[in-house]
Amino acid sequence: DYEQKYPPDDEYKEMSERSRVFKTYMDECTKFDLDMVENWRDGLDMLLIFASLFSAVVTTFVVQTYQSLNVNYAQVTASLLLRLIDVQIAISQGASRDELVQNTDPATSFQAKPVDLWVNGLWFTSLALSLTTTLIAVLTKQWINEYMVLPSGTPRDRARIRHFRFIGLQQWHVPLIIGLLPVLMHTSLGVFFAGFTIFLCSL
């Protein structure tokens, strides 16, 4: 009960710097902020752990599959060796130089398969979404920590600063951003599994 906790204000000083109304306001705001922030922190901590682990998994897949977008120089070397053998056989059989077939360079004629383009595109997108979720979650946690730092000064000053921070929290749509982070993570999961399905179907 605030009437028992804080002594009554002097007459005509009910709105002074150290009046009871500001002390009571700060007590109620502290309880409200703790309940609000604790729920956010728990959700962000779980989201950060999951997003970090998921990003590591997606990175493992991407490292293995992105190589299909580049020229496989081992295959190019083997192709050139076979071509050289064919040329030597043709020369040994009396074929003239003009009769030798001029094949195109395997390295310059390389084109990635559409399946590889789709799979890598989806997995890179999934990784980008997951890392974006992690970045926004870290920034949000830092903002929350700054929001909960108790300001110094008189009770009236602290009440004003707290109200200013709360208005900023609403104007920057922090509750909405925190609520959208799981949606962003679920989108990343969906994109990854779409690429994974295409990858399995192409085997």
Side-chain angles (χ1 to χ4, degrees):
D1 187 3
Y2 72 92
E3 292 183 348
Q4 298 179 356
K5 186 175 181 180
Y6 301 112
D9 299 320
D10 297 333
E11 189 175 3
Y12 307 120
K13 292 186 178 180
E14 289 82 2
M15 296 298 293
S16 63
E17 293 182 349
R18 303 184 182 277
S19 62
R20 183 166 60 180
V21 63
F22 294 115
K23 297 178 182 178
T24 305
Y25 172 82
M26 286 303 301
D27 288 346
E28 295 299 322
C29 288
T30 301
K31 296 177 183 178
F32 175 82
D33 291 340
L34 284 175
D35 292 338
M36 176 182 66
V37 169
E38 284 302 318
N39 292 330
W40 287 349
R41 282 177 175 170
D42 292 340
L44 289 173
D45 288 339
M46 290 187 294
L47 189 65
L48 276 172
I49 294 173
F50 180 79
S52 301
L53 294 175
F54 179 71
S55 297
V57 171
V58 177
T59 302
T60 303
F61 279 91
V62 168
V63 167
Q64 295 299 321
T65 58
Y66 91 98
Q67 299 175 5
S68 62
L69 301 178
N70 298 321
V71 178
N72 189 336
Y73 287 101
Q75 293 181 355
V76 171
T77 302
S79 177
L80 292 175
L81 287 175
L82 290 175
R83 179 180 170 187
L84 180 60
I85 293 173
D86 291 339
V87 169
Q88 291 176 348
I89 292 174
I91 293 175
S92 65
Q93 293 176 353
S96 63
R97 183 176 180 181
D98 296 334
E99 294 176 353
L100 297 178
V101 179
Q102 299 295 329
N103 295 327
T104 57
D105 187 356
T108 58
S109 61
F110 170 80
Q111 285 187 347
K113 298 178 181 179
V115 171
D116 294 332
L117 293 175
W118 272 101
V119 170
N120 282 277
L122 290 171
W123 284 355
F124 272 109
T125 302
S126 176
L127 180 60
L129 291 174
S130 179
L131 293 177
T132 301
T133 303
T134 304
L135 175 62
I136 296 176
V138 170
L139 294 177
T140 305
K141 281 182 64 68
Q142 291 177 345
W143 198 97
I144 291 174
N145 291 335
E146 291 296 326
Y147 175 80
M148 291 302 298
V149 173
L150 294 177
S152 59
T154 63
R156 184 171 67 182
D157 293 337
R158 293 199 299 270
R160 288 175 175 175
I161 294 174
R162 186 268 167 192
H163 183 69
F164 174 77
R165 290 176 177 176
F166 185 77
I167 293 299
L169 182 144
Q170 299 298 325
Q171 289 179 344
W172 283 93
H173 304 290
V174 174
L176 177 63
I177 293 174
I178 295 176
L180 289 177
L181 286 178
V183 178
L184 192 62
M185 195 67 239
H186 293 160
T187 304
S188 177
L189 277 169
V191 172
F192 171 77
F193 281 118
F196 191 67
T197 302
I198 296 174
F199 176 74
L200 291 179
C201 291
S202 65
L203 296 179

